[in-house]
Amino acid sequence: MSSMARINDGTVVEVLKPIDGFDISDCFHPDILAGCVPCGDDVQPGWVLTEDGFAAPEPAEEEAPPATE
């Protein structure tokens, strides 16, 4: 895994990816990386960190339009 995810309240808020040909530690300051966790390249902001790893959020249920009389 070459990407790192910044997590806030169990949710990915940012995914850091290195420039092609470089290691992630060459692209970001160690203080920034210290607050991140390794993740797969498919992880996106909004995903959640679970005990089993990262997961896409469940789609929100759409509200039915109000009934008209």
Side-chain angles (χ1 to χ4, degrees), residues 60-68:
E61 291 185 28
E62 294 184 27
E63 291 185 26
T68 56

Side-chain angles (χ1 to χ4, degrees), residues 3-4 12 16 21 25 33-34 40 44 57 65:
S3 298
M4 300 284 283
V12 176
L16 307 176
S25 62
L33 295 177
Q44 299 175 21

